[in-house]
Amino acid sequence: MTNISFDLIDVIRTIQKQKKFILIVTLAGVALAGAALVIKKKKYKAEARFLVNNPLYGDRHTLFRSSETRYVDYYGGDDDVDKIMALAASDTVRDQIIRRCDFDKMYNRDITTAKGHDDLMMILNKNFNIKRTEYKDVQITYVAYKPEDAANVANMTVKILEEYYRYYYTNVKTGIYKSIADQKVKLDSAIASLTDTLANLRDQHGIYALISPARKDLISGELKGGGKGYGRAIEEIQNIESVKDQLVADRAHYISMLNEFDATTNSAMSYVKVITRATPPTTPAGLGKVLTLVAVALLGFFFSSLYVLMMAYFRKLNAVER
């Protein structure tokens, strides 16, 4: 079997012989890349970054703590960032992005049709990117043909994520608030009914002293009167007063909790902190014209050289007698 030699000297000689072909291919690639850069519309990439706040700081136990002092980190943890990432990947959030940013006008699509809506979602998915960094902040980028559109989409995405992340927590608190408020209405009705009953009993028997055992055994005034049914009236007044006092105390507690839950849903508390707001970029996205042409030239030189070397090797291989 004949050994075929194709060493560095052969490589250099082959490239020297075919330098005209290599140069033509390289220049042709550069020319095509330059034409593509002229024809292709420029794209701009805007970036926004934000930190996720710890939602426990908006909890009523943190805002109104009176006895227990527990350290709560200001910054959200990995679980909180995971929720943001999950929301950003949801169709619900992305649908809001294309609607609030007027994608139908940006990309000339009919958002009211299923096909138009799907096209806009595909455009968003192609140009939108969100990632978490090692510093636990979230980075959002969007690429568009206009710098203003790119910045607007990035900033609007942060706003929408904050709204849905806030809703994730405040919706539960709102439900609790409504439940307590409904119970308070029932207590108001029960207290009003017991008040009418007590007023009738006191007027009927002339008993106006405070004789409720729920009021720390406080008895004000002197019990005067007598006759049939007087003793039973005292017992009934004590029983009704004890129940009413408890309901009044519960009602006061419910009002206090309603105020606390109302404070925790206040929009003054933000659940994310923007550290870099997206601004319209001044330069197009990508390597730039010069770097792009240099990269194309290097690739053209590499592949054309590889081609002539492979052809030379195969010719040498075929020239060997078998």
Side-chain angles (χ1 to χ4, degrees):
M1 181 177 178
T2 304
N3 293 327
I4 300 174
S5 175
F6 198 78
D7 54 16
L8 181 60
I9 301 300
D10 294 325
V11 171
I12 296 174
R13 287 177 179 175
T14 302
I15 292 177
Q16 287 178 342
K17 289 180 181 179
Q18 300 292 334
K19 61 181 180 181
K20 185 176 181 180
F21 172 79
I22 295 174
L23 182 61
I24 292 174
V25 172
T26 302
L27 292 178
V30 172
L32 290 174
L37 289 174
V38 173
I39 297 173
K40 184 180 179 181
K41 294 180 65 176
K42 297 178 181 179
K43 288 188 175 183
Y44 298 86
K45 178 165 67 174
E47 175 184 298
R49 301 169 73 108
F50 63 92
L51 293 167
V52 182
N53 295 338
N54 192 339
L56 290 180
Y57 262 100
D59 188 77
R60 73 183 187 94
H61 294 294
T62 303
L63 292 177
F64 299 97
R65 57 187 175 188
S66 57
S67 57
E68 180 183 8
T69 303
R70 180 182 301 175
Y71 172 75
V72 179
D73 193 0
Y74 283 102
Y75 299 100
D78 291 332
D79 291 341
D80 301 306
V81 179
D82 288 341
K83 293 183 179 67
I84 287 290
M85 300 298 291
L87 288 172
S90 66
D91 289 340
T92 303
V93 169
R94 300 202 171 195
D95 177 74
Q96 286 297 308
I97 295 174
I98 66 174
R99 292 182 184 277
R100 296 198 196 181
C101 295
D102 296 329
F103 268 43
D104 53 341
K105 298 178 181 177
M106 287 171 54
Y107 298 102
N108 194 23
R109 299 288 196 282
D110 187 1
I111 197 173
T112 59
T113 64
K115 185 180 184 306
H117 186 272
D118 290 342
D119 289 344
L120 293 177
M121 290 291 282
M122 290 178 62
I123 293 173
L124 174 65
N125 295 335
K126 178 182 177 181
N127 298 296
F128 176 83
N129 184 47
I130 181 171
K131 67 178 182 179
R132 61 198 299 172
T133 71
E134 64 273 19
Y135 303 108
K136 292 185 179 180
D137 66 321
V138 181
Q139 174 185 333
I140 292 176
T141 58
Y142 189 77
V143 179
Y145 292 116
K146 295 182 180 180
E148 298 79 8
D149 292 339
N152 180 49
V153 173
N155 291 324
M156 181 59 70
T157 301
V158 176
K159 181 180 179 181
I160 294 173
L161 284 174
E162 198 278 336
E163 291 176 1
Y164 276 83
Y165 186 57
R166 174 196 301 276
Y167 179 78
Y168 179 84
Y169 291 97
T170 57
N171 185 49
V172 177
K173 298 175 184 178
T174 303
I176 296 174
Y177 181 94
K178 186 177 184 307
S179 177
I180 296 175
D182 291 343
Q183 191 63 27
K184 175 186 167 295
V185 172
K186 296 179 181 179
L187 287 180
D188 291 339
S189 178
I191 291 172
S193 177
L194 292 175
T195 299
D196 293 339
T197 302
L198 279 174
N200 291 333
L201 284 174
R202 290 182 181 279
D203 291 339
Q204 181 179 352
H205 298 280
I207 303 174
Y208 301 103
L210 299 178
I211 55 177
S212 173
R215 301 188 183 183
K216 308 298 183 181
D217 298 328
L218 175 64
I219 300 178
S220 64
E222 297 181 358
L223 296 176
K224 299 179 180 179
K228 187 177 181 180
Y230 187 79
R232 182 177 180 83
I234 294 176
E235 296 298 326
E236 288 181 351
I237 290 175
Q238 286 190 100
N239 293 337
I240 296 174
E241 273 193 347
S242 64
V243 174
K244 179 189 172 185
D245 289 343
Q246 184 61 50
L247 294 183
V248 170
D250 292 343
R251 180 178 179 274
H253 182 58
Y254 286 173
I255 292 175
S256 178
M257 287 195 297
L258 287 174
N259 291 330
E260 292 180 7
F261 278 108
D262 186 51
T264 59
T265 57
N266 194 293
S267 60
M269 292 184 294
S270 177
Y271 280 63
V272 302
K273 175 61 179 178
V274 178
I275 55 178
T276 301
R277 181 174 175 82
T279 56
T282 56
T283 56
L287 294 176
K289 293 182 179 180
V290 176
L291 290 177
T292 301
L293 295 177
V294 170
V296 171
L298 292 175
L299 289 173
F301 175 81
F302 173 77
F303 284 108
S304 60
S305 300
L306 182 63
Y307 172 77
V308 298
L309 290 174
M310 290 178 63
M311 295 301 296
Y313 178 76
F314 285 124
R315 282 195 299 267
K316 195 170 186 178
L317 202 71
N318 292 330
V320 176
E321 293 182 3
R322 299 183 181 276

